[in-house]
Amino acid sequence: MEGLKRLPKLNLHEVTKKGSPTEAGPSDPALQFPAELETAERLAQQIRFIVEVDRLKEIFRQTVLINSRRAENDAEHSWHLCLIVITLAEHANWPQLDVLRVLKMLIIHDLVEIDAGDTFAYDTHAMANQHEREAVAADWIFGLLPADQTREFRALWDEFEAHQTPEAKFAAAVDRFQPMLLNCHTEGAAWRRHGVNRDRVIARNSHVAEGSAALWKYAARMIAEAVAAGHLDA
Amino acid sequence: MEGLKRLPKLNLHEVTKKGSPTEAGPSDPALQFPAELETAERLAQQIRFIVEVDRLKEIFRQTVLINSRRAENDAEHSWHLCLIVITLAEHANWPQLDVLRVLKMLIIHDLVEIDAGDTFAYDTHAMANQHEREAVAADWIFGLLPADQTREFRALWDEFEAHQTPEAKFAAAVDRFQPMLLNCHTEGAAWRRHGVNRDRVIARNSHVAEGSAALWKYAARMIAEAVAAGHLDA
């Protein structure tokens, strides 16, 4: 749906009266104000981005859903993280957290995987150049947006990747907690398929504590119970 | 993972010293402070909610994805709406919008469908008692949370359903715009399968304008192009 792309360039000399979009209708752009055309072109560009990222729903992960046991995709994962944030924000290590910024980071954090693909958290080979691959993908996907939003979304992604601010640390904690939670509720499906043991789970995920000590404490008990139940190798 | 449910009730007479969770460990709850146990039980209750809502990923809708053309599910849809909000908030009819509240509404708006099921936007029979069915489902799903969050989430859902505040109007606009966008990028797949025509699409969705005049203007053109392309009956 690229209709707005095909609009003729506005000839300023033809704008002889105050064009009303209601009177002129969308099929008569020459009668519209330049500012309104700019808004329409900006919106069309933003919507092309919104259409492109539909593909996040087709990027599948290693974790499986609790009921059907099919592979989870990145869009579902991102939604689940947002739900976790608005439910568990009180357990962050900081009483004053900018929850809106946490949500923005998590809504966009996996968009780079549309181009770079999902990297399994325990695939050390693929992880070696993961950030470089994803940075190239970030240039492309956020570059679809108007320039000011390219900068805004890229800054959010860079902040998430750097794990330095309280918001990024809590976002990262939730991003690591959720796959553990799904693993623990699917008899360790992804862990067992890839032969991951307790030490690797703890090494990979203990930084959850940097975002939420309470969440890591819960996770540590959950991991211990998974080992006790035979769902995770000791 | 119901480990915290099985914790013994705390006997206050046994709390004889300031219990440190680091020293005592999670396996020794009798040495922990009541406040900490309350936090742990609250967190466990919240996580049971987070586990339960994993089922949103298995509630399928009538709209299909742009690339694979498989049915979209509610979790993916909810994520896409969040992405649209942070991209298009500037086009809301109000310059000062509480984007965080819009996001919270959209993250939880379809949770009632875990119990009540998805109701197709053009299924007038199912829509007749939709709100009643969903209100019962809301009692159940939000009731899984601690009481203060039951109230908070239910208030967000009620606000969304009432379509009265600027935030609810913009959230509703995005919730109606996104399926139209997917339909227009899939040759009207869901519209054609259900024999929906232009007048019904316009009647069902024109309240997008109450949340964003710019978005409805874009949608109206998109609908006109779908008709012109033969993807939607006139």
Side-chain angles (χ1 to χ4, degrees):
Chain A
M1 192 55 43
E2 305 283 332
L4 290 174
K5 262 176 132 175
R6 296 195 300 269
L7 284 177
K9 285 287 176 195
L10 184 69
N11 182 340
L12 291 177
H13 298 291
E14 290 178 6
V15 180
T16 53
K17 63 164 189 158
K18 180 170 176 173
S20 153
T22 311
E23 292 160 20
S27 61
D28 200 354
L31 293 178
Q32 294 174 359
F33 264 161
E36 191 172 342
L37 261 193
E38 278 175 24
T39 297
E41 290 189 357
R42 182 175 166 88
L43 178 56
Q45 183 175 0
Q46 292 165 322
I47 289 177
R48 286 194 289 277
F49 168 77
I50 288 164
V51 166
E52 189 68 38
V53 301
D54 197 59
R55 290 165 57 202
L56 195 69
K57 302 165 189 171
E58 324 245 26
I59 308 293
F60 288 94
R61 305 168 52 84
Q62 296 300 322
T63 42
V64 299
L65 302 190
I66 294 173
N67 292 283
S68 68
R69 304 293 167 108
R70 72 152 166 84
E72 186 187 41
N73 67 57
D74 273 347
E76 299 165 330
H77 164 72
S78 299
W79 164 78
H80 211 175
L81 300 191
C82 289
L83 189 285
I84 294 174
V85 165
I86 67 170
T87 307
L88 301 187
E90 67 189 82
H91 301 287
N93 289 344
W94 305 268
Q96 299 299 327
L97 201 71
D98 183 344
V99 174
L100 176 57
R101 210 161 83 248
V102 177
L103 290 176
K104 285 183 173 180
M105 278 188 242
L106 290 175
I107 291 165
I108 64 155
H109 83 293
D110 271 344
L111 290 183
V112 294
E113 297 190 359
I114 290 174
D115 195 45
D118 178 54
T119 302
F120 186 46
Y122 302 94
D123 181 347
T124 46
H125 181 71
M127 282 167 65
N129 67 343
Q130 181 184 4
H131 187 77
E132 289 70 20
R133 285 185 290 114
E134 293 187 347
V136 172
D139 287 343
W140 166 72
I141 192 74
F142 300 132
L144 297 176
L145 286 162
D148 59 308
Q149 289 190 310
T150 297
R151 286 191 296 274
E152 180 197 354
F153 282 41
R154 180 56 186 259
L156 285 165
W157 185 74
D158 286 340
E159 179 181 351
F160 175 77
E161 287 285 300
H163 292 198
Q164 294 303 308
T165 63
E167 284 75 17
K169 287 179 179 173
F170 187 62
V174 170
D175 186 36
R176 293 261 49 87
F177 178 78
Q178 188 258 3
M180 284 193 283
L181 187 67
L182 292 196
N183 260 306
C184 286
H185 282 269
T186 55
E187 294 85 46
W191 289 334
R192 289 197 295 176
R193 194 169 59 249
H194 293 276
V196 176
N197 67 12
R198 173 180 54 191
D199 288 351
R200 288 186 69 199
V201 171
I202 290 174
R204 175 71 179 140
N205 296 295
S206 62
H207 70 73
V208 165
E210 294 173 34
S212 170
L215 209 52
W216 176 243
K217 191 174 167 184
Y218 184 97
R221 178 184 294 205
M222 196 167 66
I223 293 166
E225 291 188 356
V227 172
H231 302 152
L232 177 64
D233 289 339
Chain B
M1 194 54 44
E2 305 283 333
L4 289 175
K5 260 178 133 174
R6 298 195 298 269
L7 283 177
K9 285 288 176 195
L10 184 70
N11 182 341
L12 292 177
H13 298 291
E14 289 179 7
V15 180
T16 53
K17 63 166 187 157
K18 180 171 179 172
S20 152
T22 312
E23 291 162 20
S27 61
D28 200 354
L31 292 180
Q32 294 173 357
F33 263 161
E36 192 172 343
L37 260 193
E38 278 175 25
T39 298
E41 290 190 356
R42 182 175 165 89
L43 178 56
Q45 184 176 359
Q46 292 164 323
I47 289 177
R48 286 194 290 277
F49 169 77
I50 288 164
V51 167
E52 189 68 38
V53 301
D54 197 58
R55 290 165 57 202
L56 195 69
K57 302 165 190 172
E58 325 244 26
I59 308 294
F60 288 92
R61 305 167 53 81
Q62 296 299 323
T63 42
V64 299
L65 303 190
I66 294 172
N67 292 283
S68 69
R69 304 293 168 110
R70 71 154 167 83
E72 184 186 42
N73 68 56
D74 273 348
E76 299 165 329
H77 164 72
S78 298
W79 165 78
H80 212 174
L81 300 192
C82 290
L83 188 285
I84 294 174
V85 164
I86 66 171
T87 308
L88 301 187
E90 67 189 82
H91 301 288
N93 289 343
W94 305 267
Q96 299 299 327
L97 201 71
D98 183 343
V99 174
L100 176 57
R101 211 163 80 250
V102 178
L103 290 176
K104 285 183 173 180
M105 277 188 242
L106 290 175
I107 291 165
I108 64 154
H109 83 292
D110 271 343
L111 289 183
V112 294
E113 296 190 356
I114 290 174
D115 195 45
D118 178 53
T119 302
F120 186 46
Y122 303 94
D123 182 348
T124 46
H125 180 73
M127 283 167 66
N129 67 343
Q130 181 185 5
H131 186 77
E132 290 67 24
R133 285 184 289 114
E134 292 187 349
V136 172
D139 288 342
W140 165 71
I141 192 74
F142 300 132
L144 297 176
L145 285 161
D148 60 310
Q149 290 190 312
T150 297
R151 286 190 295 274
E152 181 197 355
F153 283 38
R154 180 56 187 259
L156 286 165
W157 185 74
D158 286 340
E159 181 181 352
F160 175 78
E161 287 285 300
H163 292 200
Q164 294 303 309
T165 63
E167 284 73 18
K169 286 179 180 173
F170 187 63
V174 170
D175 186 36
R176 292 261 50 86
F177 178 78
Q178 188 258 4
M180 283 193 284
L181 187 68
L182 292 196
N183 261 304
C184 286
H185 282 270
T186 55
E187 295 84 46
W191 289 334
R192 289 197 295 175
R193 194 168 58 251
H194 293 276
V196 176
N197 66 13
R198 173 180 54 191
D199 288 352
R200 287 185 71 197
V201 170
I202 290 174
R204 175 70 180 143
N205 296 294
S206 62
H207 70 73
V208 166
E210 293 173 32
S212 169
L215 207 53
W216 176 243
K217 192 174 166 185
Y218 184 96
R221 177 184 296 205
M222 195 167 68
I223 292 166
E225 291 189 355
V227 171
H231 302 153
L232 177 64
D233 289 339

